[in-house]
Amino acid sequence: MSGTATDAGGGRVAGVEVSTDGGATWHPASGRASWTYTFTPTVTGPVAVRARAVDDSGHLGAAAQPDGCPCTI
């Protein structure tokens, strides 16, 4: 999956994390403002994907979820 993160407060995106289990665990994505994350589901059926970003001041954004597939947020 891939996405774009921005800092509306005038700072810079320092990193992005992705969860594939509804927010129970988080994993770093590659990149910052433009990011990617690759995973292989271990079970069939829906996957609860979330993404969140942190800015250069350490402020963690709210987790976002895609509305549907393809799974690009």
Side-chain angles (χ1 to χ4, degrees), residues 11-72:
R12 292 180 165 215
V13 175
V16 174
E17 296 177 317
V18 176
S19 173
T20 58
D21 57 12
T25 60
W26 293 91
H27 310 280
S30 297
R32 291 187 173 95
S34 292
W35 58 269
T36 60
Y37 183 76
T38 302
F39 79 103
T40 302
T42 57
V43 296
T44 58
V47 176
V49 176
R50 307 282 188 272
R52 65 184 181 187
V54 62
D55 70 9
D56 55 349
S57 297
H59 299 113
L60 187 61
Q65 65 187 42
D67 291 330
C69 286
C71 295
T72 299

